Amino acid sequence: QTGMFTYDPGFTSTASCDSALTYIDGDEGVLLHRGYPIGQLAEHSSFMEVAHLLLNGELPSKDELDTFTYTISRHTMLHEQLAQFYRGFRRDAHPMAIMCGVVGALSAFYHDSTDITDPTHRLIASHRLIAKMPTIAAMAYKYSIGQPFLYPQNDLSYTGNFLRMTFGVPAEPYEVNPIVERALDRIFILHADHEQNASTSTVRLAGSSGANPFACIAAGIACLWGPAHGGANEAALNMLREIGTPDKIPHYIDRAKNKNDPFRLMGFGHRVYKNYDPRATVMQKTVREVLGELGVTDPIFDVALQLEEMALKDEYFVEKKLFPNVDFYSGVILSAIGFPTTMFTALFALARTVGWVAQWNEMISDPAQKIGRPRQLYTGPAEREYVAVGER
Ligand code: SDX
């Protein structure tokens, strides 16, 4: 049950819990959301549908989807005073720093959705978080480039609304590009949830103490920012740009294998997948489609493809079962759409908010739920007597 901790000498102690949301088979490269394969959801579903599926357990009917989407759209605006909060940041603040701050601050504004014992509060908080993350992320981007904030326009889709708030300007009409909208919506689906990864475990552990949902999601954002986790998408594209041309790839593969060199291939490897990350498969396919449909060629994509090909032929990577993960190709598409690398992890957080919120709800609504309390193997000194400073 939730809160049960296991200790395996092969790993640091990990929280383990029951969950019905997402199933991963790392050896077979399988990822299911409530039983549906990620490849089918990415191909046929939408991010709002997947959000409904993760939150409610079933794919929605047309009416249920319309109601859910309308409900989410009622919460897309941000309290006007929170816009002032942005103005306290330096212009060069990383969007993840802003998102950590602003999402945590939501609990200072939305008091009618912070009582975790009240199912209505929990439902409203869940909808608010999912609805406001695009607005918060878009405002972080606008603030960083000195452009005015755009208010949400709720006749657009969830993803189309985000694209307009990010790339639109008050002076001109903004036309959502359906190719970009579809690709970004698929990227959001691929990032929605992923079992008990570090940031989701952070949200669950924070939530297990009874902290309000906004504070818990802010904790998840902080954890996701790390380059070993969600920060890898930004690091992976920066790495591909640093490699620059295919002839440099062997040098970087050698560096990644050198134990005296801290360099790792960003976007490669995974704690659970010891086979291909099924999300990376969809992501690579989407890169080809989007670059083709947009008529864009990006030499970085060729570097990524050749890096993958050479790494997967190298016995080090084969032996250690290191494959591309969800972060390896995502940056190529996000860059082609026009996002700066500093926004990549913010987009990951935007999408993963659906999973965090669904996991938090699953935990907090379990009557047997108890506060998480990891234990340790003590490796310090045995008990000893105090020594006065003059005798030390
Ligand atoms: C995400 O948990 C999730 O589900 C996360 C995520 C999600 O959706 O929430 O899937 C999203 O975080 C994907 C991972 C993004 N991170 C990166 O791409 C960063 C680069 N990858 C590595 O840092 C690493 O692969 C991890 C952190 C992802 C996994 O690390 P593990 O499971 O702790 O594996 P490890 O560090 O013990 O590595 C095992 C071996 C080591 O060599 P040895 O000590 O056995 O000799 O493989 C090596 C590592 O040195 N290794 C790598 C490598 N990843 C692991 N060597 C070179 N390049 C790499 N990328």
Side-chain angles (χ1 to χ4, degrees), residues 194 197-198 227-230 232 256 259 263-271 274 277 279 316-317 320 322 325-327 348 352:
H194 209 241
N197 57 86
H229 191 9
K259 287 301 163 205
F263 174 79
R264 285 194 165 183
L265 285 187
M266 300 315 282
F268 256 78
H270 199 278
R271 174 62 58 81
K274 300 308 172 190
D277 181 335
R279 300 168 297 175
Y316 173 90
F317 290 89
K320 297 211 183 287
L322 301 174
N325 59 50
V326 68
D327 294 312
F348 195 149
R352 185 53 58 89

Side-chain angles (χ1 to χ4, degrees), residues 7-281:
Y7 179 77
D8 176 337
F11 291 97
T12 53
S13 63
T14 54
S16 63
C17 62
D18 295 349
S19 176
L21 295 175
T22 293
Y23 171 75
I24 299 173
D25 180 330
D27 293 327
E28 299 302 319
V30 172
L31 168 55
L32 309 176
H33 289 316
R34 302 279 196 181
Y36 293 98
I38 189 64
Q40 293 182 28
L41 293 172
E43 187 68 30
H44 304 298
S45 188
S46 69
F47 185 61
M48 280 292 99
E49 260 201 1
V50 171
H52 183 282
L53 172 67
L54 286 167
L55 282 167
N56 301 303
E58 296 297 336
L59 285 170
S61 66
K62 174 79 172 63
D63 289 348
E64 287 168 335
L65 180 60
D66 290 347
T67 303
F68 179 73
T69 305
Y70 175 78
T71 303
I72 293 295
S73 72
R74 295 302 90 192
H75 295 288
T76 51
M77 283 182 69
L78 205 56
H79 192 291
E80 199 65 12
Q81 275 180 252
L82 269 167
Q84 305 310 321
F85 194 92
Y86 281 77
R87 294 185 170 84
F89 288 99
R90 286 174 36 147
R91 287 284 178 185
D92 60 356
H94 195 288
M96 287 297 279
I98 294 177
M99 289 183 81
C100 278
V102 172
V103 172
L106 293 176
S107 48
F109 288 83
Y110 297 106
H111 299 104
D112 61 343
S113 55
T114 52
D115 176 357
I116 59 143
T117 62
D118 181 335
T120 306
H121 275 230
R122 296 203 299 263
L123 187 66
I124 295 172
S126 302
H127 292 160
R128 276 185 167 137
L129 280 159
I130 294 170
K132 294 181 193 310
M133 287 306 264
T135 310
I136 291 166
M139 288 170 71
Y141 174 63
K142 285 304 198 189
Y143 184 72
S144 73
I145 59 174
Q147 285 190 358
F149 300 142
L150 281 193
Y151 288 111
Q153 188 177 301
N154 290 333
D155 61 346
L156 296 171
S157 73
Y158 181 88
T159 301
N161 213 349
F162 171 63
L163 284 166
R164 178 183 165 276
M165 289 188 283
T166 304
F167 296 118
V169 289
E172 292 156 18
Y174 179 81
E175 194 70 31
V176 176
N177 179 327
I179 298 168
V180 171
E181 181 181 26
R182 177 78 200 110
L184 189 57
D185 199 73
R186 182 182 293 176
I187 290 172
F188 287 164
I189 291 172
L190 295 175
H191 288 82
D193 189 53
H194 209 241
E195 201 218 61
Q196 303 311 316
N197 57 86
S199 55
T200 299
S201 300
T202 300
V203 170
R204 277 182 172 258
L205 201 53
S208 72
S209 74
N212 75 73
F214 305 109
C216 296
I217 300 304
I221 293 171
C223 177
L224 185 75
W225 194 0
H229 191 9
N233 55 15
E234 176 178 352
L237 195 76
N238 289 336
M239 174 192 73
L240 293 171
R241 285 178 174 157
E242 183 185 329
I243 294 173
T245 52
D247 61 304
K248 301 279 191 355
I249 292 173
H251 168 66
Y252 282 86
I253 286 184
D254 290 342
R255 283 192 60 193
K257 291 156 61 175
N258 177 355
K259 287 301 163 205
N260 299 318
D261 187 333
F263 174 79
R264 285 194 165 183
L265 285 187
M266 300 315 282
F268 256 78
H270 199 278
R271 174 62 58 81
V272 177
Y273 288 123
K274 300 308 172 190
N275 197 323
Y276 215 93
D277 181 335
R279 300 168 297 175
T281 308

